[in-house]
Amino acid sequence: MTTGELAKIMGITKHTLFHYDDIGLFKPQMKDEKGYRFYSVEQMETLDTILVLKDLDIPLNDIKKLMKNRNHDHIVEILNNHQHQIQNQIQKLNKMNHWIEQKKKSILTSCQEDFSNITIKHYPSRYYLYNTISDDSNQNFYKATNELITHFVQRHPYHFYQVAYIQYDQDFQNNDFDIYNNVSLLLYDPPQEQNYKILPEGQYLVAYHKGNWKNIKQTIQKLLDYKKAHHLICDELYVEHYVVDHLLVQDPRDYITEISVRII
């Protein structure tokens, strides 16, 4: 067979065969005096093996070594190594897919919400990592947030999280509505090998604040008034996190912050 005939039968290009010949991976059975390549039918099985290994993303250099040293131990070693790489890729892709599903769910939920109303929502158990902030300067605020995110992402790449901040009822009663001395990562799956706290499953009183967090006092007060008017007993801990952020809107004045507290 000529190069063109073999390439057509095997579903590859002539340039692929030229390249394989140049690197010594797969050479023709013979070349004539003009340099034209010719292949035997028996070589098709060898080429098919090479193409299968290449389709498995095994590097050509490894395939070349394998074809020159064909024995059970060598082929099993190469396949084991590559299988391990594939399993790692599968785990990574599964994590990426889970992140996408969680992000889509969060976006779709936010699109369906009526942000003008105070509501009661049921939440499953959630988890959070917590980092205190020494003072409320912007530098320490962003530093603590970045440290928490970086440390988490290095351990758990593609694990879905939302940056959250926690305030307490006792501070609200003292008319303090902007004590941001901590940052948290809100999670829907418990992280491995890290100490985390739990937000229990249950009914949560929820309000939504539009705009800068510095003006959040008005929304929190509405939430407290609602709680008092409906004689609700709630937890001490209030969780704030964005449900509409830079991914959905350009202007920070259009950000939406969810404020939630568990009803006891």
Side-chain angles (χ1 to χ4, degrees):
M1 290 174 287
T2 64
T3 302
E5 290 171 337
L6 179 60
K8 184 176 181 180
I9 292 173
M10 302 302 294
I12 58 177
T13 66
K14 292 192 296 182
H15 294 290
T16 297
L17 291 173
F18 294 157
H19 179 59
Y20 288 177
D21 184 13
D22 291 340
I23 65 175
L25 173 60
F26 182 71
K27 291 187 168 296
Q29 184 73 38
M30 61 165 288
K31 291 183 181 179
D32 65 12
E33 62 279 3
K34 294 183 179 180
Y36 290 113
R37 298 168 173 86
F38 292 91
Y39 300 85
S40 67
V41 173
E42 289 78 10
Q43 287 184 282
M44 291 175 60
E45 187 173 353
T46 301
L47 179 57
D48 186 62
T49 300
I50 292 172
L51 296 177
V52 169
L53 295 174
K54 180 177 179 295
D55 194 50
L56 291 172
D57 290 331
I58 296 178
L60 292 180
N61 192 45
D62 288 345
I63 298 175
K64 181 180 176 181
K65 292 177 182 178
L66 175 64
M67 301 307 291
K68 288 185 176 181
N69 181 24
R70 305 183 198 184
N71 62 67
H72 293 83
D73 292 340
H74 194 201
I75 183 63
V76 169
E77 179 185 359
I78 288 179
L79 293 178
N80 278 339
N81 290 338
H82 194 65
Q83 185 179 33
H84 181 67
Q85 295 176 16
I86 290 175
Q87 290 169 346
N88 288 337
Q89 290 175 353
I90 291 173
Q91 290 180 354
K92 178 181 177 180
L93 291 172
N94 284 334
K95 290 178 181 178
M96 293 172 67
N97 185 59
H98 184 64
W99 184 93
I100 291 172
E101 288 296 330
Q102 293 281 11
K103 194 64 178 179
K104 282 169 49 183
K105 182 179 179 180
S106 175
I107 292 172
L108 292 174
T109 299
S110 68
C111 292
Q112 297 167 359
E113 290 287 354
D114 182 356
F115 296 127
S116 62
N117 292 330
I118 294 176
T119 61
I120 294 177
K121 298 177 64 174
H122 180 270
Y123 276 120
S125 294
R126 293 171 294 170
Y127 314 88
Y128 65 98
L129 304 177
Y130 186 89
N131 195 10
T132 57
I133 301 174
S134 57
D135 62 66
D136 59 358
S137 68
N138 284 340
Q139 182 176 1
N140 284 333
F141 190 79
Y142 294 124
K143 180 181 178 182
T145 303
N146 183 63
E147 286 177 351
L148 188 62
I149 293 174
T150 300
H151 185 65
F152 176 72
V153 170
Q154 286 176 346
R155 290 190 173 194
H156 308 283
Y158 303 107
H159 193 126
F160 181 77
Y161 67 87
Q162 293 171 303
V163 177
Y165 305 96
I166 294 173
Q167 297 203 73
Y168 296 92
D169 186 69
Q170 182 178 354
D171 294 322
F172 295 160
Q173 301 307 320
N174 294 329
N175 204 35
D176 291 323
F177 294 90
D178 58 353
I179 299 181
Y180 291 95
N181 57 8
N182 64 83
V183 59
S184 297
L185 295 187
L186 186 60
L187 313 167
Y188 293 84
D189 299 297
Q192 298 178 355
E193 301 177 358
Q194 281 189 273
N195 294 324
Y196 58 84
K197 301 178 184 294
I198 300 177
L199 291 174
E201 178 182 3
Q203 300 293 99
Y204 281 75
L205 185 61
V206 177
Y208 296 97
H209 173 72
K210 182 176 181 179
N212 195 299
W213 60 270
K214 293 182 179 179
N215 303 320
I216 205 168
K217 174 181 177 179
Q218 298 174 353
T219 305
I220 294 175
Q221 189 60 60
K222 285 174 56 179
L223 190 68
L224 297 176
D225 292 342
Y226 184 98
K227 181 180 75 169
K228 182 177 180 180
H230 291 79
H231 308 289
L232 298 176
I233 300 175
C234 295
D235 200 351
E236 169 78 7
L237 182 149
Y238 289 71
V239 181
E240 302 173 11
H241 72 279
Y242 287 130
V243 292
V244 174
D245 57 13
H246 62 279
L247 185 62
L248 297 178
V249 296
Q250 290 184 338
D251 193 336
R253 290 174 296 184
D254 293 325
Y255 286 9
I256 303 293
T257 302
E258 178 188 292
I259 310 161
S260 64
V261 59
R262 185 171 67 95
I263 299 172
I264 299 176

